[in-house]
Structure formats: C-alpha cells, structure tokens
Amino acid sequence: APDYVRTMRISKRTGELGKRPMNLPDRCNACKAQYRRATRMGKRMDRIHAVAKSYKDGRKIPKLLTFALPSQWFSWDECLTSREDEIRALGKLLPRTRAILQENGVEGGSYVLECTYKWTPDLENFTHPKYKFHAHVHMVAIAPYIHYSKLSEWCQQLMPIGLGRINYQAVKNRRKTAVYVSKYLVKDKVQCRTFGIMRNNTHTTP
C-alpha cells in the first residue's frame, strides 16, 4: 500500500467536504524492505508495459515465464547438492537460455532466480528423510502470442539444454505480478536481472 491514505474532512475555509492525505505510522524494517522491493519491481513492470505497448501484435501484453532446473530426491545422508549449488548450476545455463528465448521471439525482460526446498520422510524408514531443491526462474518478458496449437512445442525450447518446460502466461495485473515477483528478492539478497530490449531501457510512463 502507498505511504498515505486519504481522509474525508470539512474544509475550514470553504465549509465543504473534501479529501486530504494523512501519513501512516512508520513501518517496521521488514515491511519497509518489502515495500521498497515491490515499488522497484513495480517501476520495472511499468517500463516493460510501456515498451510492450509500442508493439501492435501479441507482444503488447507482457508474459510471465517460469522454468526450472530439473531436481531429484536425495537421501539425507547423501548431501550431494545444496541450495547454492543448484542456483549456481541454473545460473550457468542462463546465457544460453536468454539466447534461445530471444531466438524464439522473446524481446527481453526482467527476471529473478529462486530455489525452494522440500523434504519428506522415507516411507519405509521414517528416520531417513529425503530432500530436494527446486531452482527456478520467474521472468516477466516482452514476448509473442503463441497459438495454443504451437504452445506445447514452444514451451519445450529449453529442454535440450537441461531445463524443464516453460510455464507461459499473459500478465493481466501488473501490480499483482510485481508483488508476486518481488517477494523472491527477499532471500539471500537475490537480485532482479534485466536482458534484451529492456537492458538499459529508461522508458517511463507519463
């Protein structure tokens, strides 16, 4: 929410009912950080939408792309990988990933990396749990409209380099998407990265 709310009051000068801004109480540090992240991501979303509107085809609506590094279950005592290892492995594939996406009509955009964690007890022996990490990318991009008859094939374009199928959907609510993506910036100082047409793009909305 913004830093102020508007309240109704009667003007002492005119006697008419009007509105005035009222400052809210100061946020806690965690909420301040979350608000700043969402605000910065909101500005990026505004720039992406502004550039997307310059197109007259299906690219005028930004798309949300999500894709992941395939993961597998490990026994707890194996410890063959870690969250940092998975993010590092995913990061090594990103240069080729960006090139492939651009070859297939993605003009550019902004994205963040995230790695979630799951564990489950061994069904045969509850004292030996299993775990896996799920490293993935959330990307908001200027990308073409893909007809449903070709969507399945298009979403498999990253599989030859070792990534999973792309989840591909249009962005309908830019602010909600900004908050959704910005929440991944909380962990371990994850940064938002920009590529393609949005790199160094300073287009602003009026």
Side-chain angles (χ1 to χ4, degrees):
D3 284 323
Y4 64 89
V5 295
R6 295 192 179 276
T7 58
M8 301 296 294
R9 72 181 183 98
I10 297 177
S11 172
K12 294 181 179 180
R13 182 174 62 84
T14 64
E16 296 178 355
L17 185 64
K19 297 180 180 180
R20 70 168 181 176
M22 179 182 71
N23 292 332
L24 292 173
D26 195 20
R27 292 180 173 88
C28 68
N29 290 334
C31 288
K32 283 181 182 178
Q34 184 177 355
Y35 177 74
R36 288 194 296 267
R37 283 189 291 266
T39 299
R40 288 196 299 269
M41 184 59 70
K43 291 179 179 179
R44 292 189 185 97
M45 289 291 296
D46 288 341
R47 288 196 296 272
I48 291 174
H49 275 264
V51 173
K53 284 183 178 179
S54 66
Y55 292 92
K56 303 300 181 183
D57 53 20
R59 291 172 292 182
K60 65 182 179 181
I61 301 177
K63 310 300 187 301
L64 178 62
L65 287 70
T66 305
F67 51 89
L69 186 70
S71 58
Q72 58 180 312
W73 291 100
F74 293 102
S75 297
W76 196 263
D77 54 356
E78 290 178 320
C79 295
L80 297 181
T81 188
S82 66
R83 182 177 184 273
E84 292 72 22
D85 291 337
E86 295 295 299
I87 290 180
R88 193 177 300 112
L90 177 58
K92 290 180 179 179
L93 295 175
L94 289 181
R96 183 59 182 144
T97 297
R98 294 190 297 265
I100 293 174
L101 290 173
Q102 289 180 284
E103 290 171 3
N104 287 277
V106 177
E107 302 285 344
S110 296
Y111 63 94
V112 296
L113 277 69
E114 164 66 350
C115 187
T116 55
Y117 169 86
K118 290 183 179 180
W119 74 277
T120 182
D122 189 312
L123 297 179
E124 296 180 356
N125 188 342
F126 285 92
T127 63
H128 292 81
K130 293 183 178 181
Y131 74 98
K132 71 174 180 178
F133 293 97
H134 181 61
H136 53 282
V137 171
H138 294 276
M139 176 183 294
V140 181
I142 297 175
Y145 165 79
I146 307 298
H147 191 269
Y148 73 90
S149 62
K150 300 179 180 179
L151 183 60
S152 178
E153 180 182 358
W154 194 93
C155 289
Q156 297 178 40
Q157 61 183 282
L158 301 179
M159 295 176 70
I161 66 171
L163 293 174
R165 186 187 305 270
I166 298 172
N167 182 290
Y168 192 73
Q169 56 184 303
V171 174
K172 297 181 180 180
N173 187 315
R174 74 175 74 178
R175 288 298 173 184
K176 184 179 293 186
T177 303
V179 173
Y180 170 74
V181 176
S182 67
K183 71 181 182 179
Y184 298 105
L185 303 177
V186 179
K187 301 178 181 178
D188 296 339
K189 299 181 179 179
V190 175
Q191 295 181 343
C192 179
R193 308 180 186 184
T194 302
F195 75 104
I197 195 174
M198 295 309 302
R199 195 167 185 83
N200 299 324
N201 189 290
T202 57
H203 189 113
T204 56
T205 54

